[in-house]
Amino acid sequence: MSAPPLEIHDMTVAYHRKPVLWDIDVVVPEGRLVGIIGPNGAGKSTLIKAALGLIPLASGQVWFYGQPYARQRHRVGYVPQRESVDWDFPVTVQDVVLMGTYGALGWVRRPGARERRLAEECMETLGIQEFRHRQIRQLSGGQQQRVFLARALAQQADLYFMDEPFVGVDAQTEKTIIGLLQNLRNLGKTVLVVHHDLQTVPEYFDFIILLNMRLVAAGDMASTFTPENLQKAYGGRLTLLDQVAEAVRRGASP
């Protein structure tokens, strides 16, 4: 039996000695589209960054397909939040998408015809091929998000982390993105998405990690995205609780 794509055991993360995630234990099965949800300040983005080694752990272990991240880096793709990217860096759309192929090339080889064909296919998939020679700072927010999704797609990874990919994009781009993520899931890939819109959770995801500094619940939609668990995570701040609960009962998005 193969190891799961992601195992997190006893993860604690602290900023200036103040815990922001505490004793997180979760195992993500293969081939799932996973929503990481919770209130503001719950540690959703921190969970992704800590798993990828971008911020240090106070304690705990993270395994990717049964091994440390350093040994499985080539199997993992990451799309950060848009505001964390230096959009003034002088690179074109094609340059950024080609970066997705670097992991498979190693330190010595440069992208060749195969990698350029792959980048072209990824740009076409995201509908950005007409912008290939444009500087990334010249793009709209939705176009920028599509560029970084194309880069992740070019990695041909097995496990993807995406930090709020729907923030600041138009409705058509959101539809394109969720279609891409569902296609990746249907191909057997595993995709984890930090998400904040509870109304679209039942429609978009089939597995949920529900956080509020601690793990509230993790599992399939039916057993995890419940009024009781949402109340534990959001408390009085959850103004959409009744609406979401009704959507869960109906088995549809609100």
Side-chain angles (χ1 to χ4, degrees):
M1 184 175 178
S2 60
L6 179 68
E7 296 177 79
I8 297 174
H9 297 296
D10 300 323
M11 176 191 279
T12 295
V13 181
Y15 293 139
H16 307 295
R17 298 187 179 181
K18 180 181 179 182
V20 292
L21 284 174
W22 189 265
D23 282 344
I24 304 296
D25 277 282
V26 65
V27 178
V28 175
E30 192 167 20
R32 308 303 287 272
L33 183 44
V34 182
I36 303 174
I37 62 174
N40 290 338
K44 302 184 294 295
S45 295
T46 299
L47 180 75
I48 283 183
K49 292 175 182 176
L52 294 172
L54 298 174
I55 55 178
L57 299 179
S59 64
Q61 293 179 315
V62 183
W63 302 102
F64 296 82
Y65 299 97
Q67 298 185 51
Y69 176 60
R71 296 184 182 177
Q72 299 284 29
R73 188 186 302 268
H74 62 287
R75 301 183 68 179
V76 181
Y78 172 50
V79 177
Q81 291 183 10
R82 277 200 312 116
E83 60 263 31
S84 67
V85 176
D86 180 7
W87 295 107
D88 291 325
F89 194 73
V91 289
T92 66
V93 168
Q94 187 175 55
D95 292 334
V96 173
V97 179
L98 271 172
M99 290 176 189
T101 68
Y102 289 1
L105 291 173
W107 292 104
V108 180
R109 290 178 55 205
R110 296 176 62 84
R114 178 188 176 279
E115 288 73 32
R116 293 185 183 280
R117 282 196 302 270
L118 175 60
E120 190 73 21
E121 291 172 5
C122 294
M123 287 188 286
E124 287 184 18
T125 298
L126 272 300
I128 55 173
Q129 66 271 33
E130 64 185 285
F131 308 128
R132 61 172 63 82
H133 300 304
R134 191 174 295 183
Q135 297 283 316
I136 57 172
R137 64 175 176 273
Q138 298 172 324
L139 304 178
S140 69
Q143 290 164 351
Q144 290 173 343
Q145 192 65 282
R146 288 174 186 241
V147 170
F148 273 78
L149 284 162
R151 184 188 69 168
L153 201 59
Q155 288 182 255
Q156 298 185 307
D158 297 312
L159 172 62
Y160 290 93
F161 292 85
M162 305 203 176
D163 199 347
E164 301 212 29
F166 305 116
V167 170
V169 303
D170 57 82
Q172 183 56 48
T173 296
E174 181 161 342
K175 183 178 179 181
T176 298
I177 292 172
I178 192 60
L180 170 66
L181 304 189
Q182 290 170 342
N183 285 339
L184 288 171
R185 185 264 318 276
N186 294 341
L187 290 171
K189 312 293 187 179
T190 305
V191 186
L192 284 83
V193 180
V194 173
H195 191 58
H196 71 279
D197 181 9
L198 290 176
Q199 290 183 288
T200 54
V201 167
E203 178 185 357
Y204 286 2
F205 304 108
D206 55 61
F207 192 98
I208 295 296
I209 297 174
L210 185 55
L211 293 175
N212 192 349
M213 297 181 68
R214 293 179 180 270
L215 181 68
V216 175
D220 292 335
M221 181 67 62
S223 62
T224 307
F225 196 68
T226 65
E228 294 77 17
N229 285 337
L230 291 169
Q231 186 66 49
K232 289 178 185 177
Y234 290 86
R237 290 174 290 179
L238 184 60
T239 58
L240 292 175
L241 179 59
D242 293 337
Q243 187 179 3
V244 172
E246 179 60 27
V248 174
R249 294 188 190 101
R250 294 197 318 267
S253 66

